[in-house]
Amino acid sequence: AQVVNNVWPAPRSYHTSSLVVNSETSWKVFVIGGKGKIDLENEVYELIISPTGESSRPGTGVGSGTDVKLKSYEMSKDGKVKKVYSNITPRMEWRKLDFGDEESPFYHLPSDRPAARCMHTATPIAGQKILILGGLGRAGRRLADLWEFHTDTYKWVQLRIRGWGPASGHTAVVIEEGRLLVLGGEKADGLLNTMVIYHIDYATAPYVPIVEVKRATLATGPRPHSPTSPGGGREAFVDSQPDCVFGGLRGSAAQ
């Protein structure tokens, strides 16, 4: 691959990386936040991937790298699998988005952008957007805010919510369009959250002053439609669709 690495991100941990597919010829990975060597990282880095080898930003030079061919597999009619190599050379370019630099075209006022954080979640949603929820801020302060990052315009919008957090180290996933499922993490006092499911209907944010977060508890047992136990375990499911949870850290032992 050809890699332009003049703005390579500094080493970090507890950050997030989110893939946004613009088209078949343009992919983007956004690296947000994280814990750096000295302080929390507040910049966002954009990795632009062009599978066809074409640059999405003409005029940039190509850094040192090794050209490789993409490998795929094809199934023939007789059931045999063969390797197929294409002549496509992917091109990757790093871009730094500094929302705190007043001379940057991406500048936002401090009140119009999320604070530096780590151990947050970054969930891609429809419309080339990413939802940033909670996390651990400076001075060990856990956060309870929800932000919507528009990857096409590089704009931040805060979605005001009530009934969740503050927390860090939690998980968040879209279970249906417009609804975010949040689970686990550490509370403001550093203790682990109970296994409570939170549903954030983020799609309603433009129509209400504050989105009220819905809460439900995890339950074990047969699924709600099981004939052997009518209604059993109803709280653990949404529209008869199970929410699956695996692993994590309980106290000092991995689960």
Side-chain angles (χ1 to χ4, degrees):
Q2 298 174 337
V3 181
V4 176
N5 57 1
N6 55 324
V7 288
W8 201 277
R12 64 192 64 203
S13 61
Y14 303 115
H15 56 285
T16 57
S17 298
S18 304
L19 173 66
V20 175
V21 178
N22 297 335
S23 66
E24 293 183 357
T25 59
S26 177
W27 308 340
K28 294 181 178 181
V29 176
F30 291 89
V31 178
I32 301 176
K35 181 181 178 182
K37 185 176 181 180
I38 299 175
D39 194 8
L40 295 179
E41 300 290 345
N42 200 23
E43 302 91 355
V44 174
Y45 283 86
E46 177 187 37
L47 178 60
I48 304 172
I49 305 174
S50 302
T52 60
E54 299 175 356
S55 173
S56 59
R57 292 187 294 127
T60 59
V62 177
S64 59
T66 302
D67 292 350
V68 298
K69 294 183 178 181
L70 295 182
K71 180 174 64 176
S72 60
Y73 297 88
E74 288 185 358
M75 178 77 73
S76 59
K77 291 183 179 179
D78 58 2
K80 296 182 179 179
V81 178
K82 64 177 181 178
K83 297 179 181 178
V84 178
Y85 293 88
S86 69
N87 292 321
I88 296 176
T89 302
R91 179 184 173 92
M92 296 182 287
E93 306 172 46
W94 280 110
R95 188 183 192 187
K96 180 181 179 181
L97 310 177
D98 193 343
F99 299 101
D101 183 358
E102 294 185 6
E103 298 182 357
S104 168
F106 309 110
Y107 176 71
H108 285 56
L109 292 171
S111 59
D112 295 334
R113 66 177 189 267
R117 67 192 64 203
C118 65
M119 301 179 71
H120 53 284
T121 58
T123 310
I125 61 174
Q128 299 182 17
K129 302 173 185 177
I130 300 174
L131 292 179
I132 306 298
L133 177 66
L136 184 65
R138 289 192 169 100
R141 183 172 64 93
R142 288 177 173 82
L143 307 170
D145 51 351
L146 176 64
W147 291 84
E148 186 179 72
F149 180 48
H150 296 234
T151 64
D152 53 347
T153 61
Y154 306 105
K155 298 295 183 182
W156 289 101
V157 177
Q158 185 173 9
L159 309 182
R160 301 194 179 277
I161 61 175
R162 180 167 54 200
W164 177 86
S168 63
H170 50 284
T171 60
V173 62
V174 173
I175 55 172
E176 58 183 318
E177 187 173 353
R179 173 170 288 185
L180 192 69
L181 182 148
V182 184
L183 180 67
E186 295 180 341
K187 301 182 292 185
D189 56 9
L191 298 177
L192 294 178
N193 266 319
T194 57
M195 295 303 283
V196 174
I197 291 178
Y198 293 91
H199 293 152
I200 303 178
D201 294 326
Y202 59 86
T204 64
Y207 312 105
V208 295
I210 298 179
V211 176
E212 298 289 348
V213 178
K214 300 175 183 178
R215 172 174 171 165
T217 57
L218 274 175
T220 59
R223 295 180 60 174
H225 62 268
S226 171
T228 60
S229 178
R234 185 177 301 277
E235 291 177 317
F237 303 93
V238 181
D239 298 330
S240 298
Q241 181 178 0
D243 303 324
C244 299
V245 183
F246 177 77
L249 185 68
R250 184 176 67 186
S252 59
Q255 302 302 304

